[in-house]
Amino acid sequence: MTGAGVGHFENYSATYGSIGGVILLMLWLYLTSYVLLVGAEVDAEIEAAARPGEPRRVARAAA
């Protein structure tokens, strides 16, 4: 019984290894985009704080 599982271990490793690689890639892209958005928010707040007398500009979508 154990010998049958050991014989198929290489096949499972190839399948779940590639699925794990896809999951890791998706996680990396998610975290990278999150860090990029947080950095943009921090940059916008720093820029707004550097100009205390001016009102904040709000971006509006084109109609």
Side-chain angles (χ1 to χ4, degrees), residues 11-31:
N11 191 16
Y12 291 132
S13 178
T15 301
Y16 292 118
S18 55
I19 290 173
V22 170
I23 291 171
L24 189 63
L25 175 66
M26 292 174 67
L27 180 65
W28 175 255
L29 292 174
Y30 175 77
L31 291 175

Side-chain angles (χ1 to χ4, degrees), residues 37-59:
L37 288 173
V38 168
E41 284 289 329
V42 169
D43 183 51
E45 289 298 321
I46 290 172
E47 186 176 345
R51 304 179 194 180
E54 294 183 26
R56 290 189 178 197
R57 292 179 279 165
V58 177

